[in-house]
Amino acid sequence: MDLKYKIVADSSSDVLSLSDIPFASAPLTIQAGRISYTDNASLNVEHMVQELASVPSRTSTACPSVGDWLDAFGQAENIFCLTITSALSGSYSSAMTAKDIYEHDHPGRNVLVIDTRSTGPEMRLLIEAIARWITEGLDFLSVCGEIVAYQARTGLLFLLQSVKNLANNGRISHLAAKAVGLLGLNLLGKASAEGTLELHGKCRGEKRAPPAILQLLHESGYAGGRLRISHCMNEPLATALRAQVALHYPAADIAVYPCRGLCSYYAEKGGILVGFERP
Ligand code: X90
């Protein structure tokens, strides 16, 4: 029997499964010479990060292929498909091709492809919201309407200790990369409306990071809504930020978890990503 609803997302969302709604992840891959890491449930992320640290040659990533997306779609009547920002990856365009093939091969089925113009924890908020609406009984078109409105209320901040991989792969200018090159500088920024990296300042030392992020959250309109914090091997900073936010917003729904492969590669060791919702 075909499923009525399914949610699929590329692996940059760091979501591997959902408890209530059928879900599938389409993996991106991380490449280092002849070694290729598939960002799926069996990837040992910390092991990958350690190994990559000692690779002298250039490393890179690749988005899911059309076939990867079709595999993730499987058999379902209505599919919500979320991709990492189309401004930085081919994932969206590959998902759009998969949608055309899928809807052509299965008349009557629907795939909504959502360019999240973001990644990581903001994507997770969008996925969780869709799962809630499906559980509440909203139909396909209503969810399509809701998600457009919700996307306007969500945002993504990041604090990175290195932007080497972003710069080497052309996702950030070398000029901006130089600014963080100095030891001990953390780069604070957010996803722009267009889905690119927007830099907001530097902060020296991890101690100053939580207040600096909280400040940028305020400036970005955060007022105690849902917050998702992912980190690349930096649980202390992630939990310090959670404590800082909880102090100001005791009722806030906050979750902290490690990045999977793609986000770990680009956020690099020590980096954290923060997805939030505005009222
Ligand atoms: O298609 C591919 O090979 C994937 C390329 C992805 C490039 C960017 C990934 C960024 C991951 C880093 C900080 C947050 C940036 C937010 C920008 C919207 C996370």
Side-chain angles (χ1 to χ4, degrees):
M1 205 191 70
D2 285 356
L3 301 169
K4 181 118 174 83
Y5 291 105
K6 187 170 184 182
I7 304 176
V8 303
D10 65 47
S11 62
S12 76
S13 70
D14 300 313
V15 177
L16 291 166
S17 64
L18 293 175
S19 49
D20 302 334
I21 306 293
F23 177 87
S25 167
L28 287 105
T29 52
I30 295 96
Q31 277 138 9
R34 275 177 289 118
I35 306 171
S36 168
Y37 303 90
T38 303
D39 189 13
N40 59 22
S42 27
L43 176 70
N44 182 333
V45 178
E46 295 205 3
H47 188 236
M48 178 194 80
V49 172
Q50 312 287 18
E51 274 189 355
L52 286 174
S54 59
V55 170
S57 57
R58 212 175 168 110
T59 56
S60 63
T61 58
C63 67
S65 66
V66 175
D68 292 331
W69 278 118
L70 289 171
D71 285 347
F73 292 173
Q75 305 298 333
E77 202 180 309
N78 299 291
I79 297 170
F80 298 98
C81 168
L82 300 95
T83 77
I84 185 171
T85 173
S86 65
L88 300 177
S89 170
S91 189
Y92 174 75
S93 113
S94 146
M96 285 298 281
T97 305
K99 164 196 163 79
D100 289 345
I101 295 170
Y102 194 82
E103 288 180 343
H104 178 265
D105 289 351
H106 307 282
R109 292 190 187 172
N110 310 299
V111 181
L112 175 73
V113 181
I114 302 159
D115 175 359
T116 66
R117 295 189 298 274
S118 184
T119 189
E122 184 178 0
M123 253 171 114
R124 176 177 288 235
L125 285 173
L126 301 176
I127 293 166
E128 289 176 357
I130 295 172
R132 280 198 304 277
W133 294 323
I134 295 173
T135 308
E136 286 165 13
L138 265 65
D139 62 20
F140 183 73
L141 283 178
S142 308
V143 176
C144 294
E146 292 291 333
I147 197 68
V148 173
Y150 186 60
Q151 235 189 314
R153 295 203 286 119
T154 56
L156 179 77
L157 308 185
F158 51 82
L159 185 93
L160 308 176
Q161 301 187 350
S162 163
V163 290
K164 188 185 94 206
N165 289 338
L166 281 164
N168 283 344
N169 287 288
R171 262 77 182 196
I172 193 176
S173 80
H174 277 279
L175 208 69
K178 268 212 183 100
V180 250
L182 303 156
L183 217 66
L185 277 193
N186 297 322
L187 189 74
L188 180 61
K190 61 156 98 171
S192 70
E194 300 76 37
T196 54
L197 282 91
E198 189 175 292
L199 306 183
H200 275 262
K202 287 159 258 174
C203 109
R204 192 180 288 280
E206 278 201 4
K207 259 227 186 70
R208 298 199 192 149
I213 297 170
L214 189 64
Q215 174 68 26
L216 186 54
L217 275 169
H218 280 308
E219 289 167 11
S220 308
Y222 179 72
R226 291 184 178 82
L227 196 85
R228 301 290 176 265
I229 306 170
S230 68
H231 63 90
C232 178
M233 298 162 75
N234 199 348
E235 190 155 6
L237 178 56
T239 50
L241 176 62
R242 173 170 60 193
Q244 177 92 227
V245 175
L247 209 62
H248 289 76
Y249 303 103
D253 168 347
I254 309 174
V256 171
Y257 53 91
C259 296
R260 297 296 306 161
L262 191 278
C263 284
S264 292
Y265 175 78
Y266 283 108
E268 299 197 44
K269 200 169 172 182
I272 68 168
L273 309 181
V274 183
F276 64 96
E277 70 184 10
R278 282 181 284 267

